[in-house]
Amino acid sequence: GKVSSFAKLDVEQIWALQVHKGRLLAATGPKGQLWSLALDGSGARVVLDSSEKDLLSMIEVDGEILVGTSPGANILQLSDAEPSGRLIHD
């Protein structure tokens, strides 16, 4: 088959991907950003801009997204109520 670009993100690494509420989330580095895209790759936007270098891991738990960071080894919780993230473990 033919290879084509899915989406263009201004990042160097994508560490984790998660489908959440009909969108694709991408945990990235080295700017520590969480991107949200439509499932067809369109409409890419940053939904979390962390002070950490990398967002290395991500999981959905009870409808909320948990993100693991580096180098601080923090866990951030994102929800509809707190889309900018809440530190739940340092």
Side-chain angles (χ1 to χ4, degrees), residues 17-40:
L17 296 170
Q18 174 77 42
V19 175
H20 178 68
K21 296 184 178 181
R23 307 264 311 160
L24 178 64
L25 299 178
T28 68
K31 296 179 185 176
Q33 297 174 325
L34 182 66
W35 288 75
S36 175
L37 304 87
L39 296 179
D40 67 1

Side-chain angles (χ1 to χ4, degrees), residues 37-81:
L37 304 87
L39 296 179
D40 67 1
S42 65
R45 68 181 191 272
V46 175
V47 293
L48 174 66
D49 193 358
S50 167
S51 61
E52 292 284 326
K53 182 179 178 213
D54 292 293
L55 303 182
L56 293 180
S57 60
M58 177 173 38
I59 190 169
E60 181 178 355
V61 177
D62 295 330
E64 298 179 339
I65 295 294
L66 301 179
V67 179
T69 71
S70 174
N74 295 320
I75 298 177
L76 303 174
Q77 180 182 34
L78 286 77
S79 66
D80 291 337

